[in-house]
Amino acid sequence: MSDLAAFLRAWAKDPLGVAAVAPSGPSLARLITAQIVPEMAPVIELGPGTGVFTKALLARGLQQSDLILIEYEADFANLLAARFPQATVLRGDAARMRRHRALFEGELAGATISGLPILNMNARQQLMIMRGCFDLMRPGGRFFQFTYSPISPIRRPVLERLGLKARRLSSTLRNLPPAAVYEISRIDE
């Protein structure tokens, strides 16, 4: 099945859950992974879909075994498991990230890349996702999220409650629709 066909099937099942009109393009994939280096491994990817960002992470020098892919949609999870057999692919809700602490065996992640439609989520869902990811990242760990909005995709009260800050890194017009990438990090780091 082509990436577009897989994407359209998932979108037809849950338009608000997919929340995009097309799969992310290579320009956005390069942008959201630009600051990732192999020393950040392991790296968490939320909502990898067809694996566009996953491929970009591999191009940055990470190994499949360095990746923990969390995908809610079953067809995407199966596609990812077939494409990236050495990666850890978990089918589940990103808001339940804290349940997966045992996967890290003492080595917490250095970064999280998110393809989730986080802007469509309520503050409680955002809080659970951000708390879970930062609990699974070592000091200095950073969360990268793209958005189609001109403002931070993480609500200010969520950032304040968790002691986080958001910084817009860059944007690309070469994506449908155009997108910006934000870096979320702990205020004290």
Side-chain angles (χ1 to χ4, degrees):
M1 177 183 346
S2 76
D3 285 0
L4 183 58
F7 179 86
L8 291 174
R9 182 184 300 170
W11 183 85
K13 279 192 225 175
D14 185 11
L16 292 177
V18 174
V21 296
S24 297
S27 177
L28 178 55
R30 283 189 301 275
L31 189 64
I32 200 167
T33 61
Q35 301 210 12
I36 303 297
V37 294
E39 293 75 27
M40 292 175 151
V43 171
I44 301 165
E45 185 180 355
L46 304 178
T50 60
V52 174
F53 296 167
T54 313
K55 290 175 192 170
L57 288 167
L58 297 174
R60 300 276 314 149
L62 279 88
Q63 303 299 309
Q64 287 186 28
S65 58
D66 294 333
L67 304 177
I68 298 170
L69 311 176
I70 312 292
E71 177 55 56
Y72 185 78
E73 213 287 318
D75 289 341
F76 284 157
N78 293 334
L79 178 72
L80 293 163
R83 285 189 176 166
F84 309 106
Q86 285 109 28
T88 300
V89 179
L90 301 173
R91 183 172 179 267
D93 185 349
R96 309 249 187 282
M97 283 295 300
R98 296 171 93 178
R99 294 181 180 180
H100 303 298
R101 190 166 185 94
L103 286 174
F104 293 86
E105 299 174 3
E107 184 177 13
L108 297 175
T112 299
I113 302 290
S114 174
L116 297 175
I118 207 157
L119 195 61
N120 294 349
M121 297 177 185
N122 63 44
R124 183 177 182 279
Q125 291 170 306
Q126 285 189 0
L127 181 74
M128 289 176 66
I129 290 167
M130 299 308 290
R131 179 182 289 144
C133 287
F134 276 91
D135 282 354
L136 297 176
M137 287 192 292
R138 60 186 171 256
R142 297 179 288 161
F143 185 101
F144 298 92
Q145 176 71 49
F146 81 92
T147 184
Y148 304 128
S149 171
I151 61 169
S152 171
I154 308 299
R155 290 176 171 81
R156 182 175 304 281
V158 172
L159 294 170
E160 290 172 356
R161 182 166 176 187
L162 297 176
L164 302 173
K165 60 186 174 186
R167 178 173 69 111
R168 184 172 190 229
L169 295 179
S170 192
S171 61
T172 179
L173 297 174
R174 298 183 69 194
N175 192 70
L176 181 64
V181 172
Y182 280 79
E183 174 192 80
I184 314 298
S185 59
R186 294 174 180 98
I187 287 175
D188 56 357
E189 297 176 346

